[in-house]
Amino acid sequence: RSHAEALLLFPRNRVHEGDVTGVEAFKQLGQQLLNQHILFDVKPDDIVTPEQLTAYKRVFKPSSEENPPIGTLEGFSRFEAPKTVRVSASRPAKGNEITLHFVNYNREEPATKKSAGMGIADEKPIAVEGIKVDFILPAGFLATKVQVVSPETPKPIDLTMESKNGRISFAMPKFLVYAIVRIELASDEKNNQKN
């Protein structure tokens, strides 16, 4: 299951009416969200329900003037990472866990422009390091453990985390192309009793 904090609506109503101008605005807004590492879902505007909209902190509409500048957003998880890194979050169907997925697209480009090179044999990824995470935990939960795995380090590595005001922060170790962070959750009994 997705664990997104925002929703980007695809303007399918306008596309069905023959107006495709909103598609370019959708692409630009999506690119901004990706570059700022906002955890978001995409749904078509013609089938999303009002109930589904309430699950998100913010809903972005490509045809709307209401969208704030992405860099000014408050109340979202923060990822200090290069624009070549993409981040998403999911929750397994069973168990109390959130999985953060990090994909690093940085690589040495082929010498010939507009050439993919010789496929995977010519891939030359450039490792990324120094990513900092400030993640908002789901209401009513505490993080008990944070672990990272990647193809280079398949054995889980425990990460040191700081926890404060419903957020956890930690630093990612260096990885090449792909890394997964597993955040184990437990019910926050103390805060649940106050509510």
Side-chain angles (χ1 to χ4, degrees):
R1 297 173 291 160
S2 171
H3 182 77
E5 298 174 343
L7 174 65
L8 174 58
L9 291 175
F10 179 76
R12 198 157 68 176
N13 274 323
R14 289 175 62 183
V15 170
H16 286 315
E17 294 168 1
D19 178 5
V20 294
T21 57
V23 175
E24 187 57 36
F26 166 82
K27 289 179 183 178
Q28 290 176 3
L29 193 51
Q31 189 70 38
Q32 290 177 48
L33 291 168
L34 287 169
N35 288 344
Q36 292 292 323
H37 310 296
I38 301 295
L39 301 174
F40 71 100
D41 284 336
V42 174
K43 294 185 187 225
D45 62 0
D46 62 339
I47 61 169
V48 70
T49 66
E51 183 180 72
Q52 289 173 323
L53 295 176
T54 62
Y56 299 96
K57 295 177 185 180
R58 186 79 192 195
V59 176
F60 292 92
K61 303 171 187 173
S63 58
S64 174
E65 298 298 321
E66 306 166 7
N67 296 321
I70 305 298
T72 65
L73 292 174
E74 295 293 326
F76 286 84
S77 296
R78 298 275 184 212
F79 302 89
E80 287 182 32
K83 290 181 181 179
T84 55
V85 173
R86 297 300 186 223
V87 184
S88 65
S90 62
R91 289 188 81 166
K94 293 183 180 179
N96 286 331
E97 175 186 309
I98 293 177
T99 308
L100 299 177
H101 305 263
F102 295 84
V103 181
N104 176 27
Y105 287 97
N106 198 11
R107 66 180 187 142
E108 287 183 35
E109 296 295 330
T112 307
K113 294 285 183 200
K114 296 191 177 189
S115 166
M118 296 179 354
I120 198 148
D122 211 19
E123 284 289 317
K124 296 176 182 165
I126 299 170
V128 64
E129 58 186 321
I131 293 176
K132 294 181 181 168
V133 177
D134 178 25
F135 183 76
I136 298 175
L137 295 168
F141 287 94
L142 297 169
T144 57
K145 186 190 289 189
V146 177
Q147 294 183 318
V148 63
V149 294
S150 70
E152 298 81 43
T153 56
K155 185 177 179 186
I157 298 170
D158 290 335
L159 299 180
T160 302
M161 69 171 166
E162 292 182 22
S163 182
K164 185 177 180 182
N165 299 327
R167 302 176 85 102
I168 60 167
S169 56
F170 57 90
M172 291 281 294
K174 182 177 179 178
F175 67 94
L176 198 55
V177 176
Y178 186 62
I180 295 174
V181 171
R182 296 178 61 203
I183 302 169
E184 291 185 17
L185 303 172
S187 180
D188 184 357
E189 298 296 336
K190 188 168 85 173
N191 284 330
N192 286 340
Q193 289 173 0
K194 289 180 186 176
N195 296 332

